Structure formats: C-alpha cells, structure tokens
C-alpha cells in the first residue's frame, strides 16, 4: 500500500534485468551466483531476500513436496519462512520446533508451494488458473492470509457458470463465505449452464444435495434431472462401479427425491424422466396420477415448484410517445451502451411495440463487450398496441461484470410503427444496482441515450 502512495525510484535497467534473471533461475532452481558481491546488486532487503527464493545458498531446511512419485525437493531459509508464516514460526522456533533438515509435505502440490514461497520471499503474487485452488490450500494450511485473500479474489474474478459448481464445493471446504455467496449467485442466475457444465459432475455428494435443494435455482426441472443422472454416471466411475441404472440410483441415494419431478412439464416427464429407467414402476405411476387425478397420491419427491429468481427491470426513459412517421424498422440496428456497478446477469431486453394496434415483430437481440458477442437470440413477440414494454429473452442469462461498458443491440423487423422512449436518463438506480448509459456507434436507427428503443434491461442481481 505504501508503495502505491509513495512511488519509489525505479532501479536501473541493468539491475532490473539482473533481478528478472535471478527470478527465472530460482523458479528453475538454477542457483548460479555470477558475482561474489551479489548483495551489492540489490538496493533493498526485499530484493536481496528475493534472491534467496528457491535458492540452496544458505538454505537450512529442505521440503520434499508433493505426493509419492511426483515430489520436488525445495530449499528454504527458516528465518524468512518464520517471518512470513506463523505456522513456519511454530515449526522452527516454537516450543515443539522440529529439528529436521528435511520435511515432507505430501498434501501440497509443488507448484502451489512454490507460489506460496514466492510470496513469502519476494512479496509477489503469481497465480494461475490451474494451480490457484492448490495455492489457496497451501496459504490456508500455513496461515498466509493475504495470499489466501488474493487467491479468493482471483477465483471470484474468473468465476463463471462453467466452474461455479466446483468452486462452490471448494469454497465450502476452505470456509470462504464470500466466495460461496458469489458461486450461488452465478449458479442461481445461470443454473442451466452450470448444471450442464463438465464441472458439475466433479462435485462431491454434499454439494450435489445443496444444489438440488436450492429454492432459487433458475432452471427447468428436466435440466436438473438430467444433470443429476450425468453426475451419477461419473460418480459410478469414481467408485469403480458399472454405470447401470441400479448403481446410478444407488449413488444418488436420497438426493434423487430432491429433484422436483412432479413440477416438470408433463411432456418433459413423459418423454424424459418416465423413460429414463431411474424411477420404479410405482413411482412412475404415482407421478402420472399426480398430474392427472383429482385425488393425488402421496409422493416422496418434492412437489412444490422452485421459486427461481425474480427478474429486475431497469427502465431508462421517463416517458414514451409515437408519431406518424416514426419509430420505423427496416432492418437497421437500435443500440445503446451500458455499465453497472455490481455483477448482474442480463436475461433479456424490454422493447416497445406497435403504436398502430396489435402487431408482431421479429427481434434479433445481441449483447457485446468490446466487439465480442456474449449472447444473442432471434425470436418473435406480439404487441397489443399499448405503450407497455414487451420482454425478449436470451437463451441463457449473460454475466455482466461491473465498471465495464457493454453494448445492447436489437434489429427489429415489422410493418408497424412503434412507440419510442423520450427523456432518457444517463444514470438509473435499480434496487442496489446503478446503471449508466451512453450512446453506441452501432446504433443506425436513431436510438441513443435521450430517446429510441431498448427502454429496459431485464436482469438478475
């Protein structure tokens, strides 16, 4: 922090190059010292300590890190390690200090241990997607809280529907409630993407149960059912069982009854769950009766639909109007840019409809960030001639990060003129989310901040 407030004088290019060379040598455990007076090359104690990182020079302890068959022997310096970690301090200088020259650490990956050492020696945080969880484990084990916080921040930044289920499992293991909450936000809003991801099949049984119980899961129940069967097949492989129907049901256990099968659409049940073989004949008959009979049988399955998430609507115009010669559509693009101050998930747009009675429109909606398409969909909507807005949805909600401008676009095709917005606002407070708007260069049909189409952003927060 102090370095940010009080800028330091940069070392000369020669010294900078030498430091970089030493760091690369030390990463490879290639500890050649080119000059006897190497200390004179570095003006600060931090830089001199950094030379000792992964360096056998003056090392008074060695660690054999990693599981059997994949170990790496790494040098250490007790004083430096004890200054950086209370666990190392107790290990080397406490009442029960170990007087060993070599310490085995089979439960930590070598790359993660090196990342932790680099932080302790060099005051540098060097994280990678494939090792960050292992580094978090090491930082937690050796009580290096600032590194652990950096790992959690890295995970939150890279959080997506593809990895949210796995990170949910890990966040509970590491007791990181903030990360757990972020994972739930993604899983709830992008439930179908999360359930269809490969990572869903890698979660443990306890996490599976917590997801299947989730009241706010924003997914069709048939998608939940299919995801549970996919998990069961992989779990059979983990337990070295043949992936038969009987074994899938066995590994699912009571979690099967957390799937709200009676809340499925009848077609989804008849063509999916009923023919999957995972249900007994009696269960299948009882669920069919549940759909059709006046006197419904008792079921072990939860029969109350999930609440899901309630979408919020950010309306950016204070009024709307219509005129005899606008708003007209001839395949041109209406577009606006927006930014939010909190992570949200855009589910769709609210659009104006016909000002000349009932009419149908074809709408191609699109969401981009820096020219990259994040989501798009082609659908139709029917307007009743009122000045109300009509929702058009993306196939899946799109994750939006804070403090970055995104481009919302729509190309409408319809014979009728429509209403259009007026008195547009550059900033709108919608619940706990602040949304800013600015004009987009993609807009070729007249939409801007002050007026036009795309009156609403529909999102989950």
């Amino acid at each position: 922090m102090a370095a940010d407030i009080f800028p330091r004088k940069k070392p000369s290019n020669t010294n900078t190059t030498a430091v970089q060379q030493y760091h690369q040598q030390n990463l490879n455990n290639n500890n050649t010292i080119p000059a006897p007076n190497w200390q004179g090359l570095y003006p600060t104690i931090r830089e001199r300590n950094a030379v000792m990182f992964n360096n056998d020079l003056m090392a008074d302890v060695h660690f054999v890190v990693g599981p059997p068959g994949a170990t790496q022997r790494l040098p250490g310096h007790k004083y430096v390690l004890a200054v950086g970690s209370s666990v190392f301090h107790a290990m080397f200088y406490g009442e029960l200090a170990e007087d060993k020259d070599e310490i085995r650490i089979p439960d930590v990956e070598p790359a993660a241990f090196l990342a932790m050492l680099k932080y302790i020696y060099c005051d540098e945080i060097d994280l990678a997607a494939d090792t960050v969880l292992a580094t978090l484990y090491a930082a937690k084990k050796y009580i290096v809280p600032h590194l652990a916080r950096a790992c959690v921040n890295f995970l939150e930044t890279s959080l997506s529907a593809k990895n949210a289920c796995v990170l949910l499992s890990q966040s509970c293991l590491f007791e990181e409630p903030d990360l757990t909450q972020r994972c739930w936000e993604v899983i709830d809003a992008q439930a179908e993407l999360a359930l269809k991801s490969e990572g869903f099949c890698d979660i443990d049984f306890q996490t599976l149960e917590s997801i299947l119980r989730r009241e706010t899961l924003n997914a069709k129940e048939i998608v939940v059912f299919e995801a549970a069967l996919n998990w069961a097949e992989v779990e059979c492989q983990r337990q070295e069982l043949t992936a038969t129907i009987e074994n899938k049901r066995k590994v699912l256990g009571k979690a099967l009854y957390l799937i709200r099968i009676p809340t499925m659409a009848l077609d989804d049940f008849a063509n999916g769950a009923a023919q999957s073989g995972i249900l007994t004949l009696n269960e299948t008959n009882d669920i069919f009766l549940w759909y059709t009979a006046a006197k419904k049988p008792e079921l072990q399955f939860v029969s109350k639909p999930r609440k899901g998430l309630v979408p919020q609507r950010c309306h950016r115009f204070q009024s709307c109007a219509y005129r005899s010669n606008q708003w007209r559509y001839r395949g041109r693009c209406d577009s606006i840019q927006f930014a939010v101050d909190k992570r949200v998930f855009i589910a769709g747009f609210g659009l104006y409809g016909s000002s000349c009675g009932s009419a149908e429109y074809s709408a191609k909606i699109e969401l981009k960030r820096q020219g990259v398409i994040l989501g798009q969909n082609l659908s139709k909507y029917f307007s009743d001639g009122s000045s109300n807005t009509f929702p058009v949805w993306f196939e899946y909600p799109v994750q939006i990060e804070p403090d970055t401008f995104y481009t919302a676009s729509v190309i409408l095709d319809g014979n009728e003129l429509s209403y259009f917005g007026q008195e547009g606002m550059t900033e709108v407070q919608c619940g706990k989310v602040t949304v800013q708007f600015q004009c987009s260069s993609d807009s070729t049909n007249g939409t801007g901040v002050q007026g036009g189409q795309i009156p609403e952003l529909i999102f989950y927060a």
Side-chain angles (χ1 to χ4, degrees):
M1 182 65 72
D4 296 334
I5 301 172
F6 306 106
R8 287 184 308 195
K9 212 174 181 182
K10 292 185 179 179
S12 67
N13 291 337
T14 303
N15 285 355
T16 301
T17 304
V19 170
Q20 291 171 345
Q21 288 175 348
Y22 281 136
H23 282 189
Q24 185 57 47
Q25 289 170 355
N26 291 354
L27 282 171
N28 300 327
N29 204 10
N30 178 15
N31 303 300
T32 304
I33 301 299
N37 186 27
W38 60 269
Q39 294 89 340
L41 292 172
Y42 307 100
T44 68
I45 185 65
R46 174 182 171 277
E47 290 171 319
R48 291 192 290 274
N49 266 350
V51 176
M52 294 295 100
F53 164 57
N54 200 17
N55 196 329
D56 277 306
L57 182 67
M58 295 186 286
D60 51 2
V61 66
H62 284 81
F63 301 95
V64 179
V65 185
T71 60
Q72 190 171 343
R73 192 170 186 268
L74 303 172
H77 306 79
K78 293 180 180 179
Y79 166 75
V80 178
L81 295 169
V83 169
S85 160
S86 59
V87 174
F88 283 129
H89 182 273
M91 185 185 296
F92 300 132
Y93 299 106
E95 292 180 2
L96 302 176
E98 298 183 25
D99 188 20
K100 295 180 181 178
D101 293 332
E102 190 171 272
I103 298 172
R104 294 188 175 275
I105 307 175
D107 59 328
V108 178
E109 294 180 13
F113 197 78
L114 270 172
M116 183 181 68
L117 292 185
K118 187 172 185 180
Y119 172 74
I120 292 173
Y121 278 81
C122 309
D123 201 24
E124 293 180 16
I125 296 175
D126 188 8
L127 300 174
D130 56 344
T131 58
V132 63
L133 282 172
T135 304
L136 176 58
Y137 174 77
K140 288 277 189 176
K141 177 176 180 177
Y142 291 98
I143 311 181
V144 187
H146 296 292
L147 178 61
R149 185 68 250 167
C151 291
V152 171
N153 290 340
F154 183 97
L155 291 169
E156 288 181 353
T157 302
S158 58
L159 184 60
S160 69
K162 292 181 180 179
N163 59 18
C165 295
V166 172
L167 292 183
L168 174 67
S169 177
Q170 296 296 325
S171 67
C172 295
L173 176 66
F174 293 133
E175 298 181 344
E176 287 290 344
D178 290 343
L179 180 58
T180 300
Q181 179 58 31
R182 292 290 184 119
C183 290
W184 277 125
E185 289 172 5
V186 173
I187 292 170
D188 280 343
Q190 296 182 301
E192 295 196 359
L193 284 175
L195 293 171
K196 292 177 181 179
S197 68
E198 292 183 9
F200 178 79
C201 295
D202 295 330
I203 61 177
D204 58 85
F205 183 76
Q206 186 177 356
T207 305
L208 174 72
E209 283 189 309
S210 66
I211 293 175
L212 296 182
R213 282 196 187 95
R214 191 74 174 170
E215 191 69 32
T216 47
L217 211 59
N218 200 37
K220 294 178 181 176
E221 207 61 31
I222 186 64
V223 176
V224 179
F225 177 80
E226 291 169 350
L229 290 191
N230 291 336
W231 179 89
E233 184 170 349
V234 176
E235 181 64 16
C236 284
Q237 296 172 10
R238 282 192 286 264
Q239 296 188 23
E240 298 182 351
L241 299 171
T242 305
T244 61
I245 294 296
E246 292 76 14
N247 284 335
K248 288 180 183 179
R249 178 152 183 149
K250 177 183 176 182
V251 298
L252 280 171
K254 293 183 178 180
L256 177 64
Y257 297 111
L258 298 175
I259 305 171
R260 307 187 184 195
I261 294 177
T263 70
M264 290 181 185
L266 181 57
D267 285 350
D268 287 341
F269 174 71
N271 297 316
Q275 299 188 45
S276 67
I278 204 75
L279 304 177
T280 66
L281 183 59
N282 285 339
E283 287 170 343
T284 302
N285 289 338
D286 283 348
I287 294 172
F288 268 121
L289 286 174
W290 174 270
Y291 282 108
T292 56
K295 185 179 180 181
K296 301 184 184 301
E298 289 188 9
L299 301 175
Q300 286 185 275
F301 295 92
V302 179
S303 56
K304 183 180 178 182
R306 301 179 197 272
K307 292 180 180 178
L309 293 177
V310 178
Q312 298 184 46
R313 292 175 179 247
C314 175
H315 196 90
R316 67 189 188 92
F317 296 122
Q318 298 180 70
S319 65
C320 68
Y322 68 91
R323 297 187 188 127
S324 60
N325 61 343
Q326 54 179 217
W327 207 263
R328 190 181 298 279
Y329 305 101
R330 293 171 181 163
R332 292 192 292 260
C333 179
D334 286 287
S335 183
I336 192 74
Q337 289 194 330
F338 69 94
V340 294
D341 64 343
K342 292 180 176 62
R343 174 184 284 162
V344 300
F345 302 85
I346 296 291
F349 305 146
L351 303 176
Y352 286 122
S354 170
S355 58
C356 306
S358 300
E360 186 178 65
Y361 291 90
S362 174
K364 179 185 178 182
I365 59 173
E366 193 173 79
L367 194 58
K368 295 190 295 187
R369 178 182 179 180
Q370 297 177 347
V372 178
I373 297 175
L374 304 177
Q376 60 182 2
N377 199 17
L378 180 62
S379 62
K380 293 183 178 181
Y381 70 96
F382 182 81
S383 67
D384 57 9
S386 70
S387 60
N388 296 330
T389 59
F390 301 90
V392 179
W393 307 95
F394 289 105
E395 183 178 4
Y396 302 110
V398 181
Q399 182 171 309
I400 301 298
E401 297 298 333
D403 305 321
T404 301
F405 274 95
Y406 292 78
T407 303
S409 302
V410 59
I411 298 176
L412 286 171
D413 187 15
N415 293 326
E416 300 295 339
L417 300 174
S418 81
Y419 288 91
F420 60 92
Q422 296 184 134
E423 300 178 277
M425 296 173 283
T426 58
E427 184 172 298
V428 179
Q429 188 70 34
C430 190
K432 295 181 180 180
V433 180
T434 303
V435 187
Q436 292 181 317
F437 294 97
Q438 67 180 25
C439 293
S440 167
S441 59
D442 290 351
S443 191
T444 58
N445 199 43
T447 289
V449 172
Q450 296 302 317
Q453 258 287 6
I454 318 182
E456 286 181 338
L457 301 177
I458 306 173
F459 65 93
Y460 303 116

